[in-house]
Structures are given as structure tokens and as C-alpha cells.
């Protein structure tokens, strides 16, 4: 799944783009940042 996420990020975004995600997720922020994109956390509200 991590490899697929990296491929999707690389295919559909450009370096410097912002990508929103909801924590807690397995290392998604690190994967996004390693691809040169900006990770934006959308916190869950209970």
C-alpha cells in the first residue's frame, strides 16, 4: 500500500502541492514530505 501511495502522489501531484490527510495514519505525512509535497493534517473531531 505504501508503494501505491507513493506512485499516486508522484502521478497526480507536483512538488510543492498540498495533500490533505487525516491522522492517525501510518507514516503518510513522512511519505508525502519525502515526495516534495506539503502534508496538511485534517484532524478528526470526535
Amino acid at each position: 500500500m505504501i508503494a501505491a501511495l507513493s506512485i499516486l502522489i508522484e502521478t497526480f501531484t507536483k512538488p510543492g502541492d498540498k495533500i490533505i490527510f487525516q491522522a492517525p495514519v501510518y507514516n503518510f505525512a513522512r511519505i508525502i514530505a519525502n515526495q516534495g509535497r506539503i502534508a496538511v493534517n485534517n484532524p478528526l473531531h470526535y
Side-chain angles (χ1 to χ4, degrees), residues 1-2 7-11 19 21-23 27-28 33 44-45:
M1 174 159 153
I2 301 304
I7 291 169
L8 289 170
I9 290 170
E10 200 170 310
T11 302
I19 299 175
F21 71 99
Q22 290 187 312
N27 290 325
F28 283 10
L44 294 171
H45 296 279

Side-chain angles (χ1 to χ4, degrees), residues 28-44:
F28 283 10
R30 183 180 54 88
I31 294 165
I32 292 167
N34 286 344
Q35 297 273 340
R37 280 58 170 184
I38 301 166
V40 178
N41 184 21
N42 179 27
L44 294 171

